[in-house]
Amino acid sequence: MKPMQAHGIPVGFLLAQTAKTTARAFDDALQERGGSLPVWLILKALMQGGHRTQAELAAMVGVQGPTLTHHLNGMERDGLLTRSPLPDNRRVHEVTLTEAGRALFLKLRQAAMAFDARLRAGIDAADLDVFRAVLQRMPANVGGAAEPADDDATG
């Protein structure tokens, strides 16, 4: 039996395997700079919005509340953010970056940009445009709404 050629492998399988490998490599690149993918996503969300409630962060990062709380506990312990209850509803906590959190974001953004350049190496702009269009179409094909393009996902 001869090995399957790339055009014979189901696209969903290729996409899943590529996503898994790429996510692992991205997380490794972030860890080399003192972060991780969840930390990067939380810092990025806070940099974009100044401060957020934990519920807003959970929705933006795409994690369940208890998982987010676990990450926030560690980040607060590391001095990257503060959490404080809202005066009108003490059960809701507002999350704010500290200077140390901003500094780590900038360091991780450099790692994200370098990783993105490494990932795109050898792929011309036209092929990248087609690839982006295909990736944006796929969620709609599986029943979800396509996400709007984020021109600068690295920061």
Side-chain angles (χ1 to χ4, degrees), residues 5-68:
Q5 305 227 351
H7 66 273
I9 299 172
V11 171
F13 178 78
L14 282 173
L15 181 62
Q17 291 302 107
T18 301
K20 184 186 287 189
T21 301
T22 304
R24 254 191 244 123
F26 185 46
D27 195 57
D28 290 347
L30 294 172
Q31 285 182 16
E32 289 174 9
R33 300 282 183 101
S36 66
L37 184 55
V39 167
W40 166 246
L41 294 173
I42 292 166
L43 292 175
K44 188 173 179 296
L46 290 171
M47 286 294 290
Q48 291 172 338
H51 52 80
R52 306 264 184 206
T53 65
Q54 286 187 208
E56 290 170 333
L57 273 177
M60 289 181 79
V61 174
V63 298
Q64 299 295 320
T67 302
L68 178 69

